Amino acid sequence: MPNGDNWQSDVLRDLRGGTPQHQQPVPQQQQQQHQQQSYGPGAPERPGPPAPGPAPAYGHPQQQAYPDPPSHHQQQAYTNAPPHHQHQHQQHQQAPPAQRVVTPDSRPVLDKRLAAAALKPRRGEALGARALRAVRRTVSSSAAREVADSAATAEVLQQAVTTGRQIAVTSIRGGSGKTTVAALLGATYAHYRQDPVLVVEADPALGSLPLRLGAETLRWTTGDLAGLVEPQMSLLDVTGYLVQLPGNAWLLPGSQGQVGAMLDTTGYERVMVSLRRFFGVTVVDCETLPAEVARTALSAAQARVLTVPATLEGIASTRAVLEWMRNLPPHVLASTVVVLTEVAPHPGVDLGRATRELTEAGVTVTVLPYDRHLASGGTIRTDLLARATRQAATRLAADVFQLSQKQR
């Protein structure tokens, strides 16, 4: 697994037009001449629009200095217009003419004919189970304790950050609920936090993240933005390429639902390094291991989530992966949370014993219970989730965020 700090420094240097460390130092006279012909850090101001000020610092959620998100009309006008941030640094030799960037067409996430086939969303738990829970809660003395626990969890989720936290969600096989967990984390952070939250789809192979998050149309993708993003962009510039979600959350899709979409590690690195200063928390829905982009995302993230189906096969495979992760730097395993997802109402394993077995490997383990609403697919509506599911998702978000705060 590559070292996250090294490649992020290289990408930052490339974005800012800096000189790689392996090149020989340039004489002072030549360097001054070069600065007069380029627009790298420390050079005279570039003619034209003034460069933006320094990136906003993350403080207490109520002390943010972010500009307001663009209105619907502003964002639509910005998105429909060809990008105008395609400036190139002047070189000693004449640079080739810049290629015009073609604005992709907007595509619906789900065809209308297919959407018409969807049934009414189901609630996460049956009516009888909800009524029984309400009665128990009325006659028990646990209500005050639940309120206190919720307040403590909310306090954790609302902690200020000095730099954007990146949380990578991956799995070792399909059908483990990876995208569902990423969508739940993104929705939870957007609900509790005041600063912008970004959800990135780094799995372009017909991923379902936009559908799970309720996006209606897609235009720009992670691969597209890799060739457009530049250091002088503001938050308003960046969000023009993103899909706005409920709350202060944004989505960067991995594809437009077409076969053949590609995303390489270079493009992923460029996008993640460029966007991290705008968003307090970024949740990345990665490819399954051992894909190269997934390994890069895990190495760069401050916390990691590994989703596992709550089956005997899934738990056995996860134990082998955790043994492999012991050979990685210690902080990788220590900042990993394993999520056992119940894909059926009655799993064929003892979840308590499975949790203890995986915890011995040095990771945090949590269980995402079976939920009829999640199992039916489609857009996730948090108001339809079972109470146990909402509580598990909130605790998971808090645990992962605390682990991310321990990493630089």
Side-chain angles (χ1 to χ4, degrees), residues 101-127:
V101 178
V102 179
T103 302
D105 295 329
S106 180
R107 297 176 60 91
V109 172
L110 191 63
D111 186 270
K112 291 183 178 180
R113 292 173 296 180
L114 296 178
L119 300 177
K120 183 179 179 179
R122 303 178 67 189
R123 284 191 172 271
E125 55 185 345
L127 177 60

Side-chain angles (χ1 to χ4, degrees), residues 130-343:
R130 298 200 305 273
L132 180 60
R133 176 172 49 79
V135 172
R136 288 177 177 176
R137 191 167 183 266
T138 302
V139 300
S140 67
S141 59
S142 62
R145 185 172 63 253
E146 289 182 6
V147 172
D149 292 342
S150 299
T153 303
E155 184 177 358
V156 171
L157 290 170
Q158 293 171 352
Q159 289 179 1
V161 295
T162 54
T163 57
R165 304 287 90 184
Q166 296 180 5
I167 298 169
V169 183
T170 188
S171 64
I172 56 176
R173 62 176 62 193
S176 65
K178 171 180 64 68
T179 298
T180 297
V181 170
L184 289 173
L185 287 176
T188 302
Y189 291 129
H191 175 74
Y192 282 96
R193 298 191 62 80
Q194 298 291 332
D195 47 11
V197 173
L198 176 64
V199 186
V200 176
E201 186 178 39
D203 185 0
L206 297 179
S208 59
L209 184 62
L211 177 60
R212 295 298 257 170
L213 288 173
E216 296 181 356
T217 59
L218 305 176
R219 184 184 296 269
W220 303 96
T221 66
T222 309
D224 295 331
L225 192 57
L228 301 173
V229 68
E230 290 192 358
Q232 67 266 30
M233 282 185 172
S234 66
L235 177 61
L236 182 60
D237 295 331
V238 168
T239 54
Y241 295 99
L242 308 178
V243 179
Q244 187 168 13
L245 301 173
N248 202 15
W250 305 86
L251 166 67
L252 180 57
S255 70
Q256 290 187 325
Q258 297 174 310
V259 177
M262 299 295 294
L263 176 64
D264 56 20
T265 56
T266 302
Y268 174 81
E269 293 167 358
R270 185 178 179 88
V271 168
M272 296 304 292
V273 172
S274 301
L275 299 187
R276 66 181 180 183
R277 65 191 178 104
F278 297 114
F279 301 94
V281 178
T282 299
V283 179
V284 185
D285 180 17
C286 302
E287 298 174 292
T288 57
L289 290 172
E292 186 176 3
V293 173
R295 297 200 309 269
T296 302
L298 291 179
S299 68
Q302 283 79 33
R304 302 140 188 92
V305 177
L306 182 63
T307 60
V308 181
T311 61
L312 188 60
E313 301 91 329
I315 295 172
S317 300
T318 303
R319 187 60 184 267
V321 171
L322 295 179
E323 291 295 333
W324 167 76
M325 292 178 67
R326 288 181 181 274
N327 300 322
L328 304 176
H331 72 274
V332 174
L333 196 61
S335 58
T336 297
V337 177
V338 173
V339 180
L340 296 176
T341 58
E342 293 189 48
V343 296

Side-chain angles (χ1 to χ4, degrees), residues 47-62:
Y58 292 100
H60 189 275
Q62 297 182 356

Side-chain angles (χ1 to χ4, degrees), residues 30-89:
Q30 183 178 355
Q31 184 177 7
Q32 293 176 353
Q33 181 181 3
H34 175 72
Q35 288 181 349
Q36 295 174 358
Q37 298 176 348
S38 63
Y39 300 100
E45 292 187 1
R46 184 173 187 167
Y58 292 100
H60 189 275
Q62 297 182 356
Q63 299 176 351
Q64 302 302 322
Y66 297 110
D68 294 332
S71 66
H72 175 75
H73 298 291
Q74 290 175 326
Q75 183 178 355
Q76 196 70 20
Y78 183 89
T79 306
N80 292 335
H84 57 280
H85 296 286
Q86 303 304 309
H87 305 301
Q88 295 185 356
H89 296 293

